[in-house]
Amino acid sequence: MTTDGPADAGMDPKRDSTAPAERVDSRGRRCPLPIIDLARAFGSVPPGGTITLWADDPAAGPDVAAWCRLRGQELVAARPLPAGGEEFVIRRLA
């Protein structure tokens, strides 16, 4: 898992729910590890905040959608990554 990069430098998402998302990089990990990575990192996201998951496991799309539905969270976006895999943006609703 990573939370680095220029987009989130110097911002504390616990103080500002509009701050850039934490990023969880699960590329190269297979089911169920991307969802486990997401669930572990999700606890640090404040209500209204977002988290971004990068995954290249073909099962990640359906798994993330199901996880959001079962946990009552919002899947904001799913889009391909230029280097392969997908990026999922999840908003914490509660």
Side-chain angles (χ1 to χ4, degrees):
M1 288 183 277
T2 63
T3 58
D4 57 357
D8 59 89
M11 299 212 150
D12 181 358
K14 289 184 177 91
R15 285 188 289 152
D16 180 5
S17 65
T18 62
E22 177 177 356
R23 181 178 61 216
V24 177
D25 188 350
S26 291
R27 290 174 294 178
R29 295 168 62 83
R30 295 293 171 238
C31 183
L33 297 177
I35 295 300
I36 291 170
D37 294 343
L38 172 63
R40 284 184 179 151
F42 200 73
S44 67
V45 178
T50 61
I51 190 166
T52 300
L53 173 69
W54 287 358
D56 55 5
D57 181 356
D63 286 353
V64 170
W67 186 88
C68 289
R69 190 173 52 255
L70 291 170
R71 301 284 187 247
Q73 307 305 332
E74 179 185 4
L75 177 57
V76 176
R79 55 188 160 249
L81 290 169
E86 289 183 88
E87 174 182 75
F88 304 93
V89 180
I90 299 102
R91 177 174 290 116
R92 183 173 192 146
L93 298 178

